[in-house]
Amino acid sequence: MYQALFAASETIRKFIESGISGLSFSGTSYSAVLNTPEELRANAQEGVSVWLYRVLRDPDRLNDPPERVGWNQLQTPPLPLRLHYLVTPITGASANGPGLGSSQAEQTLLGKVLQMFHVHPILRGADLQNAFIGTDVELRMRLEPMSLEEITRVWEALEGSYQLSVSYEVSLVNIESDQTPEIAEPVTVALPEYGLIV
């Protein structure tokens, strides 16, 4: 299913929003969006940016064999991906201009997100959104350590000033093949053969 990337993003966004919707500072309520932090800042919006900034193949699953979907049918295995999200709180202090520092609201929002994924690191079942609804997909959230150089490169790509943020790696997201399954009848009898090694 090629909608897997958006379904994963929307699942994470909705989960974060459900946790922060009750938080408010100075009467402001917050939401989670899939925009970049700079887009939130440019529009003077407040909330949590959940930005997918990197997509990688999972090296541990690249050699998965074809899946048997029928007694005589083999399906090409899915493309296994690891997704990397930058999670950034944007509140009044940062939305009204760059370089104003992290406010109490931003640290509280980020703390809430960290708490939620620490307690609930696997999103599945009722947590799933969009194309994942009704499937057995499991999204595993892992707080990803980033060096100063790595985080600096991300913010340079955004062409914005550094903002308090964390990165999460999400695994495993599969993009299913759309090829018609191949006909491959299973082996029913294995006949041993003998030969002379010379």
Side-chain angles (χ1 to χ4, degrees):
M1 110 183 40
Y2 60 88
Q3 306 99 322
L5 295 181
F6 180 72
S9 297
E10 186 63 13
T11 295
I12 296 164
R13 184 201 69 78
K14 190 80 172 177
F15 181 74
I16 291 174
E17 187 165 87
S18 70
I20 66 170
S21 60
L23 300 177
S24 67
F25 292 86
S26 304
T28 303
S29 59
Y30 303 106
S31 60
V33 296
L34 298 179
N35 302 53
T36 68
E38 288 304 305
E39 289 171 335
L40 258 70
R41 185 180 281 151
N43 296 327
Q45 293 178 290
E46 299 188 46
V48 175
S49 164
V50 185
W51 179 50
L52 174 62
Y53 71 94
R54 192 174 184 197
V55 178
L56 296 175
R57 292 187 307 175
D58 183 356
D60 299 331
R61 301 280 304 275
L62 284 181
N63 294 323
D64 281 358
E67 299 176 8
R68 189 166 289 281
V69 294
W71 74 273
N72 67 340
Q73 293 182 323
L74 291 178
Q75 179 67 58
T76 303
L79 173 64
L81 299 174
R82 293 182 180 269
L83 310 181
H84 299 261
Y85 289 88
L86 191 70
V87 178
T88 311
I90 302 289
T91 63
S94 56
N96 294 329
L100 297 179
S102 297
S103 67
Q104 176 189 359
E106 289 165 357
Q107 293 177 35
T108 302
L109 281 172
L110 190 57
K112 181 62 176 176
V113 171
L114 290 167
Q115 179 191 57
M116 291 168 64
F117 287 131
H118 176 68
V119 173
H120 197 88
I122 301 175
L123 303 180
R124 60 184 165 207
D127 299 323
L128 301 176
Q129 302 295 319
N130 292 73
F132 286 164
I133 293 175
T135 68
D136 60 355
V137 168
E138 290 187 351
L139 302 179
R140 298 178 182 271
M141 309 294 298
R142 183 181 71 86
L143 184 60
E144 182 178 32
M146 295 181 75
S147 67
L148 181 59
E149 181 182 353
E150 290 172 321
I151 196 72
T152 300
R153 282 204 306 262
V154 171
W155 283 98
E156 283 178 354
L158 283 168
E159 298 181 351
S161 59
Y162 174 79
Q163 182 75 29
L164 177 67
S165 57
V166 294
S167 178
Y168 274 95
E169 181 188 72
V170 180
S171 61
L172 193 65
V173 176
N174 290 321
I175 295 190
E176 304 289 343
S177 171
D178 65 349
Q179 292 182 331
T180 303
E182 297 179 12
I183 302 299
E185 296 193 13
V187 175
T188 55
V189 178
L191 299 175
E193 293 186 6
Y194 298 93
L196 180 63
I197 299 176
V198 179

